[in-house]
Amino acid sequence: KNQVEQSPQSLIILEGKNCTLQCNYTVSPFSNLRWYKQDTGRGPVSLTIMTFSENTKSNGRYTATLDADTKQSSLHITASQLSDSASYICVVSAERGGGNKLTFGTGTQLKVEL
Amino acid sequence: NAGVTQTPKFQVLKTGQSMTLQCAQDMNHNSMYWYRQDPGMGLRLIYYSASEGTTDKGEVPNGYNVSRLNKREFSLRLESAAPSQTSVYFCASSTGRSSNQPQHFGDGTRLSIL
């Protein structure tokens, strides 16, 4: 069964600090891995998409890494800001006939405090 | 640029009532999706439309129907609402199901069934 597990479930950090969120998956055949940010009361917004051949991808202060051999990904947030408070969702896409099938993690709830 | 627009934003129904959730996108995307998000669970796909004129079941289609009205609009209908359908419903769109492009999400419809 395809699964995506994220850790930690929740995290509180001080503004300006860095943090790293983890994602482990058992999805095959692998197509790509996505990180989304979901603010409270809003829909998810795409941060990065990485294919099998990409092991690092950045979007501003967000840097995602992918190790396809160990089936692990991380999202590193640098110099956190209050606006980074949100749920971060890891999504893995599997190749299927006619299109990709997405498996969503349950998210890491990040709170950035003063 | 509105992106993906969902209506209504909130709705309370009684068991057995019916209603239609509306979704429209202005990005000229071919594929559209309906998801539900429940506490402690990742987003789950209800139905999708790979292209105008086609619809297919996702992971949790029971109790729902969809209509791809045209390229822009994709509606979700609950014929006889049940308390188990209390959830937040998200519509999303993408250029295509097989692409490595992200899905763009609306801000959701929060539905309570009493």
Side-chain angles (χ1 to χ4, degrees), chain B residues 67-95:
Chain B
S67 295
R68 183 75 182 265
L69 306 171
N70 47 56
K71 191 171 186 179
R72 291 186 64 249
E73 297 173 290
F74 188 38
S75 62
L76 178 72
R77 183 162 177 85
L78 287 71
E79 291 291 352
S80 179
S84 62
Q85 294 177 306
T86 293
S87 188
V88 182
Y89 291 86
F90 288 99
C91 177
S93 69
S94 67
T95 53

Side-chain angles (χ1 to χ4, degrees), chain A residues 43-54:
Chain A
V45 174
S46 178
L47 293 175
T48 64
I49 296 179
M50 289 184 292
T51 60
F52 186 87
S53 59
E54 297 172 301

Side-chain angles (χ1 to χ4, degrees), chain B residues 2-106:
Chain B
V4 178
T5 302
Q6 293 184 235
T7 56
K9 295 188 186 304
F10 302 92
Q11 185 71 49
V12 178
L13 293 177
K14 294 181 180 179
T15 298
Q17 288 185 316
S18 62
M19 81 161 293
T20 299
L21 280 61
Q22 306 287 352
C23 174
Q25 53 92 9
D26 62 2
M27 295 171 283
N28 199 35
H29 284 167
N30 293 311
S31 300
M32 298 185 73
Y33 314 82
W34 277 105
Y35 292 92
R36 60 179 290 172
Q37 186 175 40
D38 300 296
M41 302 185 72
L43 275 79
R44 292 181 292 168
L45 183 65
I46 303 171
Y47 270 94
Y48 66 94
S49 171
S51 60
E52 185 178 357
T54 70
T55 61
D56 285 288
K57 295 179 180 179
E59 184 183 353
V60 288
N62 291 346
Y64 305 95
N65 286 300
V66 291
S67 295
R68 183 75 182 265
L69 306 171
N70 47 56
K71 191 171 186 179
R72 291 186 64 249
E73 297 173 290
F74 188 38
S75 62
L76 178 72
R77 183 162 177 85
L78 287 71
E79 291 291 352
S80 179
S84 62
Q85 294 177 306
T86 293
S87 188
V88 182
Y89 291 86
F90 288 99
C91 177
S93 69
S94 67
T95 53
R97 285 199 72 225
S98 297
S99 72
N100 287 329
Q101 296 300 309
Q103 291 186 4
H104 296 259
F105 287 82

Side-chain angles (χ1 to χ4, degrees), chain A residues 78-91:
Chain A
T78 303
S80 61
Q81 300 176 358
L82 295 178
S83 59
D84 292 331
S85 296
S87 177
Y88 291 84
I89 302 172
C90 177
V91 185

